[in-house]
Amino acid sequence: MKNLLIALAASTIALSAAPAFAGEREDQLQLCAGALDAQGLAAIDAYRTKFVKAKGGAVQKIVLKLIPLADGPSLTAECVIKRGEVASATLLS
């Protein structure tokens, strides 16, 4: 019974932490897409963003794929996010 309660508590904690992480990742994608749009690299209303990967601790480096809403090639972008602000946003070749 004790093991069952521990397992239940651990799974509840894990499930409650997942939405916060997903929301944070979505915020980072929107920050990056906005920075790319502001720099004139990719119009935010012409692409759908898709998360590819992220790494880092206090300074996050995220890679995302920009999928066109109309015809055209997909783009890959990389953003460095520090303290909730985009430090750099570039298109990868």
Side-chain angles (χ1 to χ4, degrees):
M1 182 71 174
K2 183 178 177 182
N3 289 340
L4 179 63
L5 289 175
I6 291 171
L8 181 60
S11 65
T12 302
I13 291 169
L15 289 176
S16 66
F21 180 75
E24 180 181 327
R25 187 68 68 215
E26 184 63 32
D27 291 344
Q28 290 177 336
L29 286 176
Q30 292 303 319
L31 280 173
C32 186
L36 292 166
D37 187 38
Q39 292 179 15
L41 298 173
I44 199 167
D45 58 348
Y47 294 93
R48 177 176 61 90
T49 59
K50 180 180 177 187
F51 173 76
V52 176
K53 66 180 178 177
K55 64 180 179 178
V59 177
Q60 287 279 310
K61 184 183 286 189
I62 66 166
V63 176
L64 60 131
K65 185 167 254 276
L66 300 168
I67 302 165
L69 298 176
D71 291 335
S74 294
L75 304 172
T76 304
E78 179 180 85
C79 291
V80 176
I81 300 175
K82 185 177 185 179
R83 295 184 183 173
E85 294 184 16
V86 178
S88 70
T90 56
L91 291 178
L92 303 176
S93 51

